[in-house]
Each structure stands twice: as structure tokens, then as C-alpha cells.
Amino acid sequence: MKKLIAIFSSILLSANILSAREVKISVGAGPNWKEKGNAQFAVWLEDSEGNYLKTLYVTKKASKRSWIFSPAKGRPESLPVWYHSSKHECAKNVKSEKEPSLDAVTSATPKGGVIFNYLLEENKSYIIKAEFNTSFDYNDFYTKKSSGVNGQPSVVYQAEIPADFTEESEEIRLTFAGTGSLDGSDGIIHPDSSKLTTALSIVKLVALVPDILSK
């Protein structure tokens, strides 16, 4: 019986793989990627209605909330849109039953950006989002006095992935959507970017390229 279950599971897995679209996600480092400190970022998927589905990539420090000399609440302002969207517990060293287990790709901040692959279901549309932040990224408006450790708020990019995205499709570039909450109190994307400077050059591009599995 166990053998039959194992064989059936293997058949289902093979069928899912054959019907999947493998895509390559490229995050290109910008001039401010490591200028003030290591960039922290997360890339995740939502359904077409904007409901969180899965984290694809997140830097280890953000995932583990391992901030040096951080307050008891941690650093929710580092990636507030991702934290709130994924319901990832923001409090430092606190585990919650509501906190999802992360099986996303994690690593220390790569030196020159990162490229990774992911399998998307066939005939299904998605929204892909990416959020970036560097600490101590001050400017004339976001000063140390007014914005604490954060400096300028996180920046969020997003794009729609159509259900018919195939190997013939052109690459999809994520475009700027807005900023995260300066104090991490909510997960709202704020569209005003008029006070941003170097935060807009943390990342050069985020693009999704079709890389369909060979049949």
C-alpha cells in the first residue's frame, strides 16, 4: 500500500512539473546596493486579487530578524510591506502559530544582485512584488532625527504575470509601486516618492524571464 501511495505521489509530482513554467528572476544591484549598508530585500508572489501566496527569496537577516542592537519589536520598518503581507512575526525572537514556515531561498545579501529560478503553475496569473531597504540611508528629508535607523523608507516594485506567460513572452520588468511604512506600523504601499533620493538606486532592475522546462 505504501508503495502504491509513493508511486501515485511521484506521478502527481511529475505531472505538476511537466505543466509548470520555470521562470528566472533577476535582481540587479544598483549604485546604492551596499553604499550605506547591506541591502535587505524580499521577493514574493500574490494572486491576481492581491492575496499573499509565497515568499520566493528573502535575505537571512530579514527572515531571522537578527538585527544588532534592535529594540524588542525588532525592525518591522525594514521590509514592512513583506512582513505584513506574509504575516511574518515582526517582534524580535518571538514565534507565532500564525507565522508561516519559510522555505524560500535565503542568503546573506549577495554582492552584485542575485538570479534564481522558480516554478509557476500553468494558466495562472500572479502578482510579483519585491521590497528593498538599506539602513542609515539618510537625506535632507529623511534625517537621523526624523527617521531613526531606517533613513529613507523601503521601496517596493511590482508587476503582473499573465496566465499566458510562456517561452515566447518578453521579459517582465517590475516597476516602482511606492514605499513602505517608515515606522513599520502597516503594510500599505505609499505611492509618493517625491522625497526619495538614493533609495531609488538600491536596485537597478528586477525582471522575470521565461525559462520553460524542456519537455
Side-chain angles (χ1 to χ4, degrees):
M1 185 66 179
K2 289 183 178 180
K3 283 187 176 180
L4 288 174
I5 293 174
I7 292 171
F8 183 66
S9 298
S10 178
I11 291 172
L12 285 177
L13 179 61
S14 299
N16 287 335
I17 291 175
L18 287 174
S19 64
R21 298 169 289 169
E22 185 172 32
V23 296
K24 196 179 297 291
I25 300 163
S26 176
V27 177
N32 199 36
W33 182 256
K34 286 197 171 188
E35 183 66 24
K36 305 294 182 181
N38 291 338
Q40 301 303 317
F41 68 97
V43 182
W44 70 98
L45 287 179
E46 297 178 357
D47 64 21
S48 57
E49 302 299 319
N51 300 303
Y52 171 84
L53 294 176
K54 183 179 179 63
T55 297
L56 308 184
Y57 190 104
V58 60
T59 44
K60 281 184 178 179
K61 185 174 287 188
S63 174
K64 295 183 177 181
R65 307 181 297 280
S66 56
W67 310 107
I68 299 174
F69 304 123
S70 68
K73 67 177 181 179
R75 289 284 317 285
E77 74 276 14
S78 58
L79 299 174
V81 179
W82 174 70
Y83 278 127
H84 284 269
S85 180
S86 65
K87 294 182 171 56
H88 196 284
E89 179 59 55
C90 295
K92 184 180 181 182
N93 298 325
V94 172
K95 293 294 182 182
S96 167
E97 292 181 0
K98 294 181 180 179
E99 180 178 346
S101 59
L102 280 178
D103 56 358
V105 177
T106 60
S107 75
T109 304
K111 292 182 178 180
V114 64
I115 297 174
F116 61 97
N117 285 22
Y118 185 72
L119 290 174
L120 298 176
E121 289 184 34
E122 287 279 16
N123 304 316
K124 187 173 181 179
S125 59
Y126 297 90
I127 297 172
I128 184 170
K129 290 183 178 178
E131 184 174 22
F132 302 85
N133 194 7
T134 59
S135 300
F136 314 111
D137 195 9
Y138 305 116
N139 63 17
D140 291 340
F141 184 82
Y142 295 104
T143 64
K144 186 175 182 180
K145 185 176 181 179
S146 67
S147 56
V149 174
N150 217 35
Q152 296 170 72
S154 65
V155 289
V156 183
Y157 297 79
Q158 68 179 41
E160 292 184 12
I161 306 173
D164 60 354
F165 186 67
T166 68
E167 68 269 23
E168 284 83 23
S169 302
E170 295 182 358
E171 73 172 22
I172 296 174
R173 291 201 176 192
L174 280 66
T175 57
F176 178 79
T179 68
S181 167
L182 189 60
D183 61 3
S185 59
D186 62 56
I188 298 171
I189 298 176
H190 305 270
D192 183 20
S193 62
S194 61
K195 304 297 192 301
L196 298 180
T197 53
T198 49
L200 293 172
S201 61
I202 295 173
V203 64
K204 183 168 59 178
L205 67 85
V206 186
L208 186 139
V209 182
D211 189 19
I212 307 303
L213 286 169
S214 57
K215 303 265 180 156

